[in-house]
Amino acid sequence: MMSVDGLTDAWDWLFGGQPDPPLLLVILTGVAALAVVLTRMAWRIARNAITIAHEGGHALLALVTGRKLRGIRLHSDTSGLTLSAGRPTGPGMVFTLLAGYVAPSLIGLGGAWVLAGNRIRLLLWVTVVLLLAMLVMIRNVFGIVSIVVTGGVVFVVSWFASPDVQSVFAYASVWFLLLGGVRPVGELQTLRARGHLPDSDADQLAGITHVPGIVWVGFFGLVNLGALALGGYLLVKPFVDDLL
């Protein structure tokens, strides 16, 4: 049985703050994340992380609003599907549909807030716990592999990597969620304009609320751009404060 001192040390290890990373690290990880988002091949691979966050957002809001979560599927083409049971209309369905496209950016914003307090290990371990919780609801082999690999990478970094490596990984991941949450909204509208995505989240919301789909796409974009602006500010705020 762990002693009181052991519990205190474990608490401090997880929740204690770490030193501020160099400003150059924060900037370079942001540039690297932007390069991944803008590069076709890199985006094609890394986009799976955005899909995990997207479907996780649907799943969380389905549970919060009282819907019964049936399962989550992640596909090799970086698409995904979250199935829930309940009323096909009403606030529960609206919030569940709303959550997907804004989830990566809002998760990134939450991550930026945690990093602003220098709690890098806490961010990594919360990520591991959330991925494990999501794993329970995955209903296809590719999805299981994706969650296990992603969670395994985060765990290895959180447990075995040096503080410098943890900092690089954490900042790059948060920047990627903030920046990567914006691109799918543009892709969504491009596909809608070409008639390739008639059952998108925006069009399902339009069918339920009678508000045009383009308005919902605009809402996704505004939320994600706002999260990017605020999250970016939180990531650089310690250095701005030092200059003032």
Side-chain angles (χ1 to χ4, degrees):
M1 186 173 180
M2 186 176 291
S3 66
V4 174
D5 288 342
L7 288 172
T8 301
D9 291 342
W11 179 273
D12 291 340
W13 182 85
L14 182 60
F15 290 93
Q18 295 171 260
D20 285 332
L23 176 59
L24 183 61
L25 181 149
V26 178
I27 294 173
L28 289 180
T29 52
V31 171
L34 181 60
V36 170
V37 172
L38 296 179
T39 303
R40 183 175 180 180
M41 183 57 70
W43 172 246
R44 176 67 178 75
I45 297 170
R47 195 185 193 280
N48 190 57
I50 300 297
T51 302
I52 290 173
H54 179 114
E55 300 305 328
H58 282 316
L60 177 61
L61 264 293
L63 292 172
V64 168
T65 57
R67 298 180 63 80
K68 186 172 183 179
L69 186 60
R70 297 292 193 189
I72 303 168
R73 300 178 69 88
L74 304 172
H75 304 133
S76 59
D77 63 356
T78 72
S79 66
L81 178 66
T82 298
L83 297 175
S84 62
R87 290 183 56 195
T89 59
M93 191 64 192
V94 169
F95 284 114
T96 298
L97 289 169
L98 271 176
Y101 276 97
V102 300
S105 294
L106 294 180
I107 293 171
L109 178 57
W113 178 74
V114 174
L115 289 182
N118 294 329
R119 289 175 172 82
I120 294 172
R121 278 190 295 264
L122 177 62
L123 174 67
L124 297 176
W125 276 92
V126 167
T127 302
V128 171
V129 170
L130 291 175
L131 288 170
L132 286 174
M134 189 172 177
L135 180 62
V136 177
M137 298 307 303
I138 299 295
R139 294 294 182 264
N140 67 322
V141 174
F142 181 82
I144 292 172
V145 172
S146 296
I147 296 294
V148 169
V149 169
T150 304
V153 169
V154 179
F155 172 76
V156 168
V157 171
S158 67
W159 191 257
F160 297 105
S162 67
D164 288 342
V165 172
Q166 291 177 355
S167 294
V168 170
F169 184 84
Y171 275 87
S173 299
V174 168
W175 274 121
F176 178 71
L177 287 170
L178 290 170
L179 293 162
V182 176
R183 178 166 175 171
V185 179
E187 294 174 340
L188 167 64
Q189 184 52 31
T190 298
L191 291 172
R192 291 183 69 253
R194 295 173 181 172
H196 296 330
L197 209 60
D199 295 323
S200 71
D201 293 351
D203 291 292
Q204 291 184 65
L205 283 166
I208 295 173
T209 65
H210 306 295
V211 175
I214 187 62
V215 174
W216 292 111
V217 174
F219 174 80
F220 297 154
L222 287 174
V223 170
N224 292 358
L225 287 172
L228 172 59
L230 182 54
Y233 169 73
L234 288 173
L235 292 176
V236 302
K237 182 178 182 296
F239 308 99
V240 174
D241 291 343
D242 289 342
L243 294 174
L244 297 178

